Amino acid sequence: MTDKIDFRKSIDAYRAPRGRFRIVDVPDLRYLMVDGHGDPNTSPAFTTAVEALYPVAYKLKFASKRDLGRDYVVPPLEGLWWADDMAAFTTSRDKSQWNWSLLLMVPDWIDRAMFDTAVAQAGAKTKPVRLDDIRLEPLSEGRCVQTLHVGSFDDEAAVLADLHDEFIPAQGLRMTGRHHEIYLSDFRRVAPDRRRTILRQPVTAEAAPSKPG
């Protein structure tokens, strides 16, 4: 029997404190990805993206265990979020302006051939609507600030405002990349006030002001 790897335990970046911000260096990781736009509560593309990702993720997990002797727990769903005006996530909270990519992390030993086979197998019977939109890509975030949010997604706005406008500037940092959420709870089954979500923001050091003369 092979040991089953749980990346939530083995990768430090899947840990975040509640009630405070933590600076962490995130390793380069590879993901199944699907893109979309609009309010995740009403956009059919969001639902069909989730429905396409999981069959591929589990085909890869089973192939890894069967063919390579390497078993693992499918990691939690994640999302990258952005908008032309980031106030759409804080003060205006205008979900119609949101762009997103849904992600499921896959181990680095999963190769392109295994991915192609998993996609074909996932569509062999009842093909998920957005199956052809799934891609396998690396994500390099580097230094990030993150925290654990417990509660409704709509209660994130105040936390994000504090992160964007207070903590990051106070540390001599500035935001880069896209707002990243890691859904430790299955939001399809867990009540809003009990949802556990890692909120992550990639950052870089603020450039020092140039010296006069």
Side-chain angles (χ1 to χ4, degrees):
M1 180 179 295
T2 60
D3 293 332
K4 183 183 293 188
I5 300 172
D6 187 344
F7 295 105
R8 286 175 50 175
K9 297 178 181 177
S10 63
I11 298 178
D12 182 61
Y14 279 110
R15 301 184 182 95
R18 183 181 181 183
R20 62 184 178 86
F21 298 115
R22 178 192 179 205
I23 298 175
V24 59
D25 291 314
V26 179
D28 293 352
L29 298 170
R30 294 165 72 242
Y31 292 89
L32 303 176
M33 299 186 179
V34 181
D35 300 331
H37 174 81
D39 187 340
N41 297 311
T42 59
S43 169
F46 189 88
T47 301
T48 52
V50 175
E51 292 171 346
L53 282 170
Y54 276 103
V56 177
Y58 276 97
K59 293 295 184 183
L60 287 172
K61 166 192 162 61
F62 297 146
S64 179
K65 180 179 180 180
R66 180 188 65 243
D67 300 336
L68 305 178
R70 306 181 79 169
D71 194 11
Y72 61 92
V73 178
V74 172
L77 184 70
E78 307 182 35
L80 300 178
W81 300 85
W82 70 101
D84 292 338
D85 181 359
M86 289 302 286
F89 292 96
T90 54
T91 53
S92 67
R93 202 67 180 171
D94 184 358
K95 298 179 184 179
S96 68
Q97 302 302 310
W98 293 1
N99 300 300
W100 44 265
S101 295
L102 291 183
L103 322 173
L104 280 174
M105 195 272 281
V106 296
D108 58 9
W109 61 80
I110 299 294
D111 62 21
R112 179 65 56 177
M114 292 178 69
F115 167 72
D116 291 340
T117 299
V119 170
Q121 291 175 340
K125 293 183 179 179
T126 303
K127 183 178 179 179
V129 173
R130 301 205 61 198
L131 183 65
D132 292 338
D133 296 333
I134 297 177
R135 64 189 188 278
L136 177 65
E137 285 190 2
L139 179 64
S140 180
E141 292 182 297
R143 180 145 296 183
C144 297
V145 182
Q146 60 190 41
T147 188
L148 176 65
H149 172 71
V150 179
S152 167
F153 297 139
D154 286 331
D155 292 338
E156 293 176 3
V159 180
L160 294 177
D162 189 20
L163 174 63
H164 296 173
D165 303 331
E166 302 294 336
F167 182 85
I168 289 176
Q171 301 300 310
L173 303 170
R174 61 179 176 85
M175 296 192 296
T176 61
R178 293 169 175 170
H179 171 66
H180 190 158
E181 298 189 347
I182 302 171
Y183 307 108
L184 301 181
S185 305
D186 186 339
F187 51 74
R188 297 168 297 179
R189 297 180 174 87
V190 177
D193 63 340
R194 299 183 62 187
R195 291 171 181 163
R196 300 171 66 252
T197 307
I198 293 177
L199 308 181
R200 174 186 294 166
Q201 177 60 51
V203 293
T204 190
E206 190 67 77
S210 59
K211 295 181 180 180

